[in-house]
Amino acid sequence: MDELQSAASSVIADVTGAQAGCVTDCSAAGVGLAVAAAITGCDLALIDQLPVIPDDVEKRVLIQMGHMIHYGGPVPQMISISGAQLEPLGTAALCEAYHLESALKRGCAAAVYVVSHHTVREGELPMDLFIDLCDAYDTPVIVDMASEYDMRTPIELGASAVVYSGHKFMSGITSGVVAGRLPMVRAIYLQHRGLGRLMKVGKESIAGAMAALELWRDRDESAQLAFEKDIVNRWLSELTEIPGVLIEEHADWTGNPITRLKMTVDPSVAGLYAWELAARLADENPRIFVRDDLSEHGELYLDPCNVTLEEAGLVARAISEQVSRAMRDGDGCQITLSQMKRERSTAPLNWPK
Ligand SMILES: *Cc1c(COP(=O)(O)O)cnc(C)c1O
């Protein structure tokens, strides 16, 4: 495993421009182990002890309040699993440089920066300023970029560790890719002797992440963009006439080179709420999943990166049929926002179906 992870380190360094890297079993594990590494360094005894941390070891970890998101699991828990003491900065939609500097002055083990469409970007500190301020206090910055295309900027800006997902855009098998400065990455890798054991990465994942990184590096980006553009154009032409559904192109929230199709549903015309449309599409055979995390604002998004041109046509037909049916049968606008919220919090308890 040591040799395999060393080989992975070379591939990660090549793709990201970082000094070193290692593979974890997923990105959440990468963040958790990077925080652990910031606390223990390469002290093997401390690594054995986590999440119990001696009183004289720094364990405060800073994060902007607006970065404390839930992507399917909560960011704060991924940080505190190591025994770290989380210190939120600012308020939900405002973090100023003075919030960060005040906390840095009092000392901390690390600061975490999250890039995601889920974060509150209004009022957040930009990454370059965040890293500069942390640098002035020799505080390592761990960047969670699990779902982002840009594999070089955080390293160029001086982040100590950056975490990517091997199984999101890179389309590999489940894995986390960690890139960063050598002493930090070594300390992250060494966590496999402690906390990392209960999130043990398989050799298949390491080999898979290496292959995914190489394919990603060598991909034909303009061909992929052109392919996605064809799909969005198809949706634009096939979804124009749906009553109560406004369609438009939508640029990615965090600047990834993805254009999506945004649908704004007016329930008084379309006869159903956006979240009902999403649920009905998910019940079709084959199931159709749209991005529905903003459905409470009446918005649904179609992602061109996960479908073939043929499937895109199927999606367009299904949307148009669902709206016609709701208008004809008058069976929509039944599940209010509050009911939908209630259902979402009890549905997980019905497992297994
Ligand atoms: C998806 C995501 C994760 C978790 O990724 P896994 O590799 O599935 O653990 C972590 N952080 C962000 C910002 C994400 O979008």
Side-chain angles (χ1 to χ4, degrees), residues 22 53 56-57 69 87 103 116 170 172 178 187 207 228 264 289 318 324-325:
C22 65
I53 301 170
D56 57 348
V57 173
I69 58 167
E87 174 110 355
S116 162
M170 272 191 276
V178 183
E228 291 180 10
T264 307
F289 290 100
S324 320
R325 210 173 298 161

Side-chain angles (χ1 to χ4, degrees), residues 197 283 335 353:
R197 183 72 189 208
D283 269 346
I335 301 171
K353 283 221 170 82

